[in-house]
């Protein structure tokens, strides 16, 4: 599934706004979006929010055999997962061109810059070394994944602690967290990447582009730098040619942004360490507003039930006072003239005529007030009280019922009887 392309009107609007030094989210040309860094409960788990772009990094380790050409050095492995949950343009289980490019940039930024002492990861030379794996998962894509991934990866590496080991002869013992305090990694510096997008053949520059700005940009420049103003890697994409002055200008801007982000990471590490030492909330629980999980929280609220009980009692009394209808007996239905029903205890209103006659009182004379008409083509019906019987016999009398005598709205009826035998 591919992303929905921008319309020409939207593309022209974005480029026109960039020419006027205006951005969709109201930022300035060199402004970064709001950055938030949160650490998880386990060591090496980090959650980074860069505006609406969200990524999560998790560091893990295991003992493996070293590489043949580097028997005394540990192994660093980086992997960026672009999940369809982050954007409909990402496909599950398939490496796209963007995924390959991001993995290579992250390796240049962290592994090739030698920011981690890999020799300290050696346990037994030529036999066992620690392999450090960094998995970065994209949770939401709103542009500039590379900067968010590099911040999350280096923060997770600084927060991670590997288990302690001891060697006795040929035996290697790995201690758990309860047995021995884990050991942090040896990190020399923290390289952080800063992305610059260029528009109109390099005439306009934006820092930290969002997803819509990335669609209309002509080129991208990514500079990885540490707080000592040492450039660790530089990568240009998009086929745009940049002047020396433009690159130097971007490096000066990157040095300021990297110093601010490094200070933020250091402060987040100190806050997490203080919270763990004090035994308070740490990790993702720090960002929760409630003290307990909502699903397990028990809170009893007193409810006044006096009025509810009185209302329920009145409803029950009305139900008891209502006339009870036997089971199987249908409720009385007011029928319009000319409607008949076949069955026991059913009302009928057949044979209403225009001629008037007085109606006798009482239900005992109902059979005398019936109108008998000749029916040659239809089956005959016999009425006995409230029971109507259908018969195919030609010698039976045809009886048509009048409305019941207790009907208030009909005070006149026609009385006629005719019998005819074939």
């Amino acid at each position: 599934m591919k992303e929905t392309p921008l319309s020409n009107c939207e593309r022209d609007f974005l480029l026109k706004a960039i020419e006027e030094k205006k951005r969709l989210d109201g930022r300035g040309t060199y402004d970064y979006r709001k950055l938030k860094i949160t650490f998880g409960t386990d060591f090496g788990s980090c959650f980074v929010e860069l505006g609406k772009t969200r990524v999560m990094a998790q560091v893990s380790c295991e003992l493996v055999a070293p590489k043949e050409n580097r028997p005394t050095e540990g192994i660093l492995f980086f992997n960026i997962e672009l999940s369809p949950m982050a954007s409909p343009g990402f496909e599950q289980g398939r490496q796209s061109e963007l995924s390959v490019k991001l993995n290579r940039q992250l390796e240049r930024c962290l592994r090739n810059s030698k920011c981690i002492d890999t020799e300290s990861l050696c346990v037994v030379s030529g036999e066992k070394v620690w392999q450090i794996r960094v998995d970065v998962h994209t949770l939401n894509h709103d542009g500039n994944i590379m900067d968010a991934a590099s911040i999350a990866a280096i923060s997770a590496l600084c927060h991670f602690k590997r288990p302690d080991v001891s060697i006795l002869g040929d035996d290697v013992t790995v201690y758990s967290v309860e047995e021995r305090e884990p050991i942090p990694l040896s990190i020399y510096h923290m390289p952080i990447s800063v992305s610059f997008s260029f528009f109109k053949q390099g005439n306009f520059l934006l820092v930290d582009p969002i997803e819509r700005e990335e669609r209309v940009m002509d080129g991208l420049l990514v500079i990885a730098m540490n707080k000592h103003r040492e450039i660790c890697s530089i990568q240009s994409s998009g086929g745009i040619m940049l002047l020396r002055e433009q690159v130097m200008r971007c490096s000066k801007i990157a040095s300021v942004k990297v110093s601010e982000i490094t200070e933020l990471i250091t402060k987040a590490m100190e806050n997490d360490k203080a919270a763990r030492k004090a035994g308070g909330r740490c990790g993702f629980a720090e960002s929760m507003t409630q003290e307990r999980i909502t699903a397990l929280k028990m809170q009893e609220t007193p409810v006044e039930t006096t009025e509810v009980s009185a209302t329920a009692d009145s409803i029950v009394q009305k139900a008891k006072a209502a006339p009870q209808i036997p089971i199987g007996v249908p409720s009385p239905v007011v029928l319009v003239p000319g409607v008949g029903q076949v069955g026991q205890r059913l009302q009928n209103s057949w044979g209403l005529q225009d001629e008037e006659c007085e109606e006798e009182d009482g239900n005992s004379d109902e059979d005398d007030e019936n109108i008998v008409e000749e029916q040659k083509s239809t089956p005959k019906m016999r009425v006995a009280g409230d029971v109507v019987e259908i018969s195919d016999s030609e010698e039976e009398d045809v009886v048509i019922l009048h409305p019941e005598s207790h009907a208030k709205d009909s005070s006149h009826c026609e009385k006629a009887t005719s019998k005819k035998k074939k």
Side-chain angles (χ1 to χ4, degrees):
M1 182 176 180
K2 296 183 179 180
E3 296 180 353
T4 304
L6 294 178
S7 62
N8 293 332
C9 295
E10 190 172 6
R11 183 181 297 272
D12 295 340
F13 173 79
L14 289 171
L15 294 176
K16 185 65 175 178
I18 293 172
E19 291 179 4
E20 298 177 359
K21 297 184 179 181
K22 297 179 182 178
R23 306 181 71 171
L24 296 180
D25 49 8
R27 290 182 293 152
T29 304
Y30 306 135
D31 292 342
Y32 241 79
R33 286 175 290 179
K34 182 180 179 182
L35 178 62
K36 181 180 179 182
I37 302 174
T38 308
F39 295 102
T41 305
D42 298 333
F43 291 108
S45 179
C46 181
F47 182 82
V48 172
E49 297 182 18
L50 182 60
K52 293 183 179 180
T53 300
R54 295 176 176 86
V55 297
M56 184 184 70
Q58 179 65 54
V59 182
S60 58
C61 65
E62 62 176 340
L63 288 174
V64 297
K67 296 181 179 180
E68 295 181 357
N69 55 347
R70 298 179 183 274
T72 60
E73 293 184 6
I75 302 174
L76 292 177
F77 180 78
F78 299 92
N79 180 42
I80 296 181
E81 291 289 341
L82 301 180
S83 172
M85 176 183 64
S87 175
F90 300 153
E91 297 183 8
Q92 180 67 28
R94 180 180 178 183
Q95 277 196 344
S96 60
E97 182 179 355
L98 177 62
S99 177
V100 175
K101 183 177 68 173
L102 292 176
N103 277 286
R104 291 178 179 176
Q105 290 180 357
L106 192 62
E107 289 178 356
R108 294 193 192 101
C109 177
L110 297 177
R111 184 171 62 186
N112 297 347
S113 63
K114 303 295 182 179
C115 64
I116 298 178
D117 184 11
T118 54
E119 292 185 357
S120 63
L121 301 176
C122 179
V123 179
V124 179
S125 177
E127 295 183 5
K128 290 184 181 297
V129 295
W130 286 108
Q131 176 181 334
I132 306 299
R133 178 187 176 97
V134 182
D135 292 294
V136 180
H137 299 272
T138 306
L139 305 180
N140 189 42
H141 173 41
D142 190 34
N144 201 8
I145 297 180
M146 185 57 208
D147 290 9
S150 67
I151 296 172
I154 192 61
S155 300
L157 287 171
C158 294
H159 189 258
F160 178 71
K161 294 183 179 181
R162 64 172 179 83
D164 192 9
V165 295
S166 64
I167 303 172
L168 183 60
D170 295 335
D171 297 334
V172 178
T173 304
V174 180
Y175 296 96
S176 62
V177 180
E178 292 79 10
E179 294 175 344
R180 286 190 182 182
E181 184 72 18
I183 301 174
L185 301 178
S186 299
I187 299 178
Y188 297 131
H189 57 90
M190 291 188 293
I192 297 171
S193 65
V194 180
S195 299
F196 302 89
S197 58
F198 293 91
F199 305 86
K200 297 289 185 179
Q201 298 299 321
N203 294 326
F204 299 96
L205 167 68
L206 291 180
V207 179
D208 184 21
I210 61 176
E211 190 263 344
R212 291 185 178 274
E213 294 172 347
E214 288 182 346
R215 292 193 185 187
V216 298
M217 68 182 180
D218 296 331
L220 183 68
L221 178 66
V222 180
I223 299 178
M225 184 182 295
N226 56 23
K227 66 177 182 180
H228 307 293
R229 297 185 178 182
E230 298 174 349
I231 296 179
C232 302
S233 69
I234 183 170
Q235 179 73 23
S236 177
S237 61
I240 186 173
M241 296 185 63
L242 300 176
L243 300 176
R244 176 178 176 274
E245 291 77 11
Q246 291 176 318
V247 177
M248 294 300 297
R249 182 183 180 186
C250 292
S251 63
K252 291 180 181 179
I253 298 173
S255 63
V256 178
K257 301 300 179 183
V258 167
S259 300
E260 296 175 356
I261 296 173
T262 303
E263 184 180 356
L264 181 62
I265 296 175
T266 305
K267 186 176 180 180
M269 291 282 296
E270 294 176 355
N271 294 338
D272 181 77
K273 184 177 179 180
R276 291 177 183 273
K277 186 176 181 180
R281 293 185 300 173
C282 62
F284 294 144
E286 185 181 0
S287 61
M288 296 178 62
T289 57
Q290 298 183 355
E291 296 181 357
R292 300 181 182 178
I293 301 176
T294 308
L296 303 179
K297 186 174 183 180
M298 302 296 295
Q299 182 177 1
E300 298 180 358
T301 304
V303 180
E304 184 65 31
T305 58
T306 305
E307 297 181 359
V308 178
S309 301
T311 305
D313 293 340
S314 63
I315 294 175
V316 173
Q317 294 298 330
K318 290 181 181 180
K320 291 181 178 180
Q324 300 294 330
I325 301 176
I327 299 177
V329 179
S331 58
V333 180
V334 179
L335 301 177
V336 297
V339 178
Q341 301 185 69
V342 178
Q344 192 174 11
R345 298 180 182 273
L346 294 178
Q347 300 179 6
N348 300 279
S349 60
W350 293 345
L352 290 181
Q353 304 296 334
D354 296 335
E355 298 181 2
E356 298 181 357
C357 68
E358 293 183 359
E359 182 179 7
E360 297 180 1
D361 297 337
N363 295 328
S364 61
D365 298 335
E366 288 184 359
D367 296 337
D368 297 335
E369 297 175 358
N370 293 332
I371 300 175
V372 181
E373 296 182 353
E374 182 180 359
Q375 299 287 339
K376 295 182 179 181
S377 60
T378 57
K380 305 300 184 295
M381 297 185 182
R382 175 181 299 173
V383 180
D386 295 332
V387 181
V388 179
E389 297 180 0
I390 301 177
S391 175
D392 294 335
S393 176
E394 296 181 354
E395 297 182 356
E396 295 290 340
D397 296 338
V398 178
V399 181
I400 298 179
L401 297 180
H402 267 271
E404 294 181 359
S405 59
H406 62 271
K408 296 182 180 181
D409 55 347
S410 60
S411 60
H412 301 85
C413 67
E414 178 187 4
K415 183 176 180 183
T417 306
S418 66
K419 295 183 181 180
K420 185 177 181 180
K421 295 184 179 180
K422 292 184 181 180

